[in-house]
Amino acid sequence: MKPKILITGANGYTGKWLCRHLNEKGIAVRALVHNAPSSDSSNPLIEYVSGDLRDLASLKKAMEGIETVMHLAAVYRPANVTRKDFWDVNVEGVRNIVEAAAEAHVKKFVHCSTVGVHGTTGRHPINEDGPIKPDDLYQESKWAGEQLALSIAREKGLNLTVLRPAGIYGPGEKRFLKITQMIKNGRFIMFGNGKVSYHFVHVSDFCEAFWLASQKENTNGRVYIIADRTPIDIAEVVVVLAKAVGVKPPTFKLPYALLWMAAIVTEILCKPFGIQPPMHRRRAAWFRSERAYNIDRAIKELGYNPKVETREGLTQMVDSYKKAGWLN
């Protein structure tokens, strides 16, 4: 079966899930990765191709025969990545992939942005028209890339839809592994009171949103926030994780200001050596930054219907840690 869908960033966590999600529907995909394997006989529904967002020629080659592009690839948030690194991939790389898609007369392009472009939201959930106030280089580059994608698509006549996912989680997602380990080992400390909203999106629901967006013809130029139905306080996240690992929820708390100061000092000490600090301000901000979103537009216009309740999804994630032996 010749694939007509190209997925960029197919070797990342969400990219692998998206490939699998479409394969389960019987849909073949072309997976764009940096160094493609010569073949994968174990899965005839995935065709791997090598490419780089900074290499326009490789993208044009990857577009051959493609009708739909699902763009996930990005530089994420390693602390030692420069502004130029973010812009080369998350902005100029977006320019390349969108222009290559337009030149290839792709019928549909679904671009992955992030709710991070909204920065801290406050307790009241905001929608896609909420304030734009990115608070780090990653979010700034994603906002610039999103706007560039929409602009080029309008100019070239490309049908392009933007998805802004909340915090993606699910089985095998390691962003919450360290916190889970600390809770299990009795070393977790809550900084602040924990009454801070955080909004997740289960990876399987996000993949379905990608599929839905790719099938809608009347969403050209539209932007959608994709998240679980409701946010959850981080204090409740900690309770759910503790229950999933079979320990009592931690109760020890310290002022948030102590963590913030420690993060600044750690960044300063690590920067001369070019190493990623074990603690930095972005990670510390999790204890303080409100993230709450309204998904009504996606429900109404895409038919988005998140299936996984957040507490259930967090428990799934911890179960995957156990099965992998990561909590021993």
Side-chain angles (χ1 to χ4, degrees), residues 135-187:
D135 53 20
D136 63 28
L137 286 176
Y138 168 72
Q139 294 169 2
E140 288 176 15
S141 68
K142 291 297 285 184
W143 171 245
E146 173 185 323
Q147 294 304 291
L148 183 61
L150 288 166
S151 175
I152 295 173
R154 284 192 297 268
E155 178 187 338
K156 303 286 188 179
L158 176 65
N159 191 327
L160 185 144
T161 301
V162 174
L163 301 186
R164 294 178 186 158
I168 298 172
Y169 75 112
E173 220 303 319
K174 291 184 177 181
R175 278 189 292 171
F176 290 87
L177 176 59
K178 183 174 288 187
I179 289 177
T180 306
Q181 290 170 331
M182 294 172 70
I183 291 171
K184 179 178 183 294
N185 297 326
R187 294 186 290 107

Side-chain angles (χ1 to χ4, degrees), residues 20-39:
R20 188 183 311 126
H21 189 81
L22 297 182
N23 289 169
E24 288 173 354
K25 296 177 182 289
I27 299 168
V29 300
R30 182 174 295 161
L32 183 73
V33 298
H34 270 128
N35 296 299
S38 56
S39 64

Side-chain angles (χ1 to χ4, degrees), residues 189-242:
I189 299 171
M190 177 66 74
F191 291 92
N193 62 15
K195 300 302 180 182
V196 176
S197 295
Y198 190 84
H199 216 146
F200 290 92
V201 60
H202 193 275
V203 64
S204 62
D205 286 324
F206 182 55
C207 289
E208 181 62 13
F210 241 96
W211 169 245
L212 291 170
S214 75
Q215 297 303 293
K216 299 290 184 178
E217 291 296 323
N218 60 346
T219 59
N220 187 19
R222 297 291 278 166
V223 177
Y224 299 93
I225 289 175
I226 307 297
D228 289 353
R229 288 196 176 275
T230 56
I232 181 173
D233 278 356
I234 64 171
E236 179 65 14
V237 172
V238 172
V239 170
V240 173
L241 296 179

Side-chain angles (χ1 to χ4, degrees), residues 1-7 18-30 43-47 68 70 211 214-215:
M1 183 184 301
K2 196 69 173 173
K4 297 186 180 299
I5 295 177
L6 175 69
I7 298 176
L18 184 56
C19 288
R20 188 183 311 126
H21 189 81
L22 297 182
N23 289 169
E24 288 173 354
K25 296 177 182 289
I27 299 168
V29 300
R30 182 174 295 161
N43 189 349
L45 292 179
I46 298 182
E47 174 192 322
T68 301
M70 298 181 175
W211 169 245
S214 75
Q215 297 303 293

Side-chain angles (χ1 to χ4, degrees), residues 24 33 36 56 83 85 91 98 173 208 236 279 326:
E24 288 173 354
V33 298
L56 183 57
R83 182 183 184 89
D85 293 329
V91 183
V98 174
E173 220 303 319
E208 181 62 13
E236 179 65 14
M279 172 52 64
W326 296 339

Side-chain angles (χ1 to χ4, degrees), residues 5-320:
I5 295 177
L6 175 69
I7 298 176
T8 73
N11 55 345
Y13 175 76
T14 308
K16 289 177 181 177
W17 267 85
L18 184 56
C19 288
R20 188 183 311 126
H21 189 81
L22 297 182
N23 289 169
E24 288 173 354
K25 296 177 182 289
I27 299 168
V29 300
R30 182 174 295 161
L32 183 73
V33 298
H34 270 128
N35 296 299
S38 56
S39 64
D40 183 4
S41 58
S42 64
N43 189 349
L45 292 179
I46 298 182
E47 174 192 322
Y48 288 98
V49 295
S50 295
D52 190 313
L53 293 180
R54 296 163 296 187
D55 179 3
L56 183 57
S58 71
L59 301 180
K60 289 181 177 180
K61 184 176 180 180
M63 291 289 172
E64 295 175 2
I66 292 297
E67 296 181 354
T68 301
V69 175
M70 298 181 175
H71 179 50
L72 288 165
V75 169
Y76 191 47
R77 276 174 164 146
N80 57 350
V81 171
T82 67
R83 182 183 184 89
K84 183 178 185 301
D85 293 329
F86 281 118
W87 252 252
D88 283 350
V89 175
N90 297 353
V91 183
E92 293 306 316
V94 168
R95 182 194 304 277
N96 288 339
I97 189 76
V98 174
E99 289 185 347
E103 184 177 319
H105 303 292
V106 164
K107 294 180 180 179
K108 185 72 180 188
F109 191 111
V110 186
H111 174 73
C112 182
S113 184
T114 172
V115 290
V117 301
H118 294 288
T120 301
T121 65
R123 296 289 285 183
H124 184 71
I126 66 168
N127 64 18
E128 294 83 354
D129 299 321
I132 300 298
K133 45 182 181 178
D135 53 20
D136 63 28
L137 286 176
Y138 168 72
Q139 294 169 2
E140 288 176 15
S141 68
K142 291 297 285 184
W143 171 245
E146 173 185 323
Q147 294 304 291
L148 183 61
L150 288 166
S151 175
I152 295 173
R154 284 192 297 268
E155 178 187 338
K156 303 286 188 179
L158 176 65
N159 191 327
L160 185 144
T161 301
V162 174
L163 301 186
R164 294 178 186 158
I168 298 172
Y169 75 112
E173 220 303 319
K174 291 184 177 181
R175 278 189 292 171
F176 290 87
L177 176 59
K178 183 174 288 187
I179 289 177
T180 306
Q181 290 170 331
M182 294 172 70
I183 291 171
K184 179 178 183 294
N185 297 326
R187 294 186 290 107
F188 179 83
I189 299 171
M190 177 66 74
F191 291 92
N193 62 15
K195 300 302 180 182
V196 176
S197 295
Y198 190 84
H199 216 146
F200 290 92
V201 60
H202 193 275
V203 64
S204 62
D205 286 324
F206 182 55
C207 289
E208 181 62 13
F210 241 96
W211 169 245
L212 291 170
S214 75
Q215 297 303 293
K216 299 290 184 178
E217 291 296 323
N218 60 346
T219 59
N220 187 19
R222 297 291 278 166
V223 177
Y224 299 93
I225 289 175
I226 307 297
D228 289 353
R229 288 196 176 275
T230 56
I232 181 173
D233 278 356
I234 64 171
E236 179 65 14
V237 172
V238 172
V239 170
V240 173
L241 296 179
K243 182 178 179 180
V245 297
V247 300
K248 291 182 179 180
T251 58
F252 189 59
K253 298 178 181 179
L254 287 175
Y256 174 76
L258 292 178
L259 179 65
W260 187 252
M261 288 186 290
I264 292 174
V265 171
T266 304
E267 286 183 25
I268 292 172
L269 292 176
C270 291
K271 187 173 183 179
F273 301 99
I275 61 175
Q276 183 161 331
M279 172 52 64
H280 44 77
R281 281 170 287 181
R282 178 185 56 77
R283 186 169 294 166
W286 185 71
F287 288 93
R288 181 188 64 181
S289 301
E290 300 276 5
R291 310 282 181 178
Y293 309 99
N294 180 306
I295 61 171
D296 288 351
R297 181 187 292 180
I299 291 172
K300 180 180 179 181
E301 297 185 13
L302 297 182
Y304 176 59
N305 180 27
K307 304 289 187 183
V308 183
E309 194 275 331
T310 303
R311 291 159 187 82
E312 174 193 346
L314 290 172
T315 302
Q316 284 180 11
M317 185 175 66
V318 174
D319 287 344
S320 75

